[in-house]
Amino acid sequence: MAEQDIRQSGEAESTTGKRREATVREAKALAHPLRVRILRLCGQRELTNKQLADRLGRDPGTVLHHVRHLLGAGFLEQAPVRSGESGALEKPYRSTGLSWWLSTRLDEDEAAAAGPVQAFQEELAEAGPGSVRTFSRFLLHLSPEEVAELDRRILAVLDEYIETDDQRRDRPALGGMFVLHQLPD
């Protein structure tokens, strides 16, 4: 299954029953924006460390450090070795799809929320404003219970699409993020 997004909420339950609380190691791995971007890219296609470094404009050693964190947490796996354009053997990585099915407590670690939001901002900046396909901005007055219900309902719809995403690999890849935040007084 392709990596779709990082799901972060301490309240929501999946309609499929696959969602579980992230371990400390998993939550730490998902808190860094570069790791979130690596997951997204490896969810689109298998990439080598060099390809990731080139795409992200980062040093290969830095990228490898983050790839190793993701491998250790179970978010990436080694894909079969392949021959590159020059005939050299390449070791690509691919997403396991695990991160979608995890929940983390946002109130326990600020980086758990900041990392994925920063990664999304970087992806959107790279893609440009013409890449936006839909946009909804809203203001709601909700109790904590109503926030949990809204999150559960949105998750149920997204889960349906994520579980069948492999059937749509021939279509353009779209990324997105649903963030609900409390407005300052």
Side-chain angles (χ1 to χ4, degrees):
M1 176 183 299
E3 191 71 32
Q4 299 298 320
D5 218 342
I6 307 302
R7 177 76 206 131
Q8 296 195 353
S9 169
E11 303 295 326
E13 288 295 322
S14 167
T15 56
T16 62
K18 294 181 181 179
R19 197 158 323 285
R20 67 168 172 81
E21 197 72 26
T23 66
V24 172
R25 183 178 196 172
E26 291 167 337
K28 183 177 178 183
L30 295 175
H32 197 286
L34 185 56
R35 292 182 197 144
V36 175
R37 297 219 43 219
I38 290 168
L39 280 177
R40 179 87 81 184
L41 291 171
C42 289
Q44 290 178 265
R45 65 183 170 279
E46 296 175 355
L47 295 168
T48 66
N49 189 68
K50 182 182 180 335
Q51 290 170 322
L52 286 165
D54 290 347
R55 175 69 190 270
L56 296 166
R58 302 292 177 101
D59 177 78
T62 300
V63 172
L64 184 58
H65 168 79
H66 292 288
V67 164
R68 286 180 176 155
H69 275 277
L70 293 166
L71 284 165
F75 296 125
L76 286 181
E77 63 187 6
Q78 184 86 47
V81 175
R82 63 186 185 206
S83 293
E85 291 179 18
S86 67
L89 293 180
E90 297 181 335
K91 297 178 181 177
Y93 302 98
R94 64 177 164 223
S95 168
T96 63
L98 171 64
S99 68
W100 175 257
W101 303 107
L102 298 178
S103 296
T104 59
R105 300 288 307 174
L106 297 178
D107 55 352
E108 294 175 4
D109 184 1
E110 288 183 22
V117 171
Q118 183 180 340
F120 179 76
Q121 289 171 325
E122 291 171 8
E123 288 173 354
L124 189 56
E126 181 184 7
S131 68
V132 175
R133 296 295 175 256
T134 66
F135 180 83
S136 298
R137 185 153 163 74
F138 52 88
L139 179 125
L140 300 171
H141 294 84
L142 302 172
S143 70
E145 295 79 19
E146 291 166 324
V147 168
E149 175 62 12
L150 177 62
D151 193 36
R152 185 196 63 73
R153 291 171 66 186
I154 289 170
L155 259 183
V157 171
L158 291 173
D159 283 354
E160 289 178 33
Y161 280 92
I162 285 171
E163 288 179 333
T164 60
D165 194 57
D166 286 340
Q167 299 167 17
R168 295 182 300 279
R169 287 295 211 168
D170 60 328
R171 299 174 193 160
L174 301 171
M177 176 175 259
F178 173 74
V179 176
L180 197 62
H181 66 97
Q182 188 165 339
L183 296 173
D185 292 330

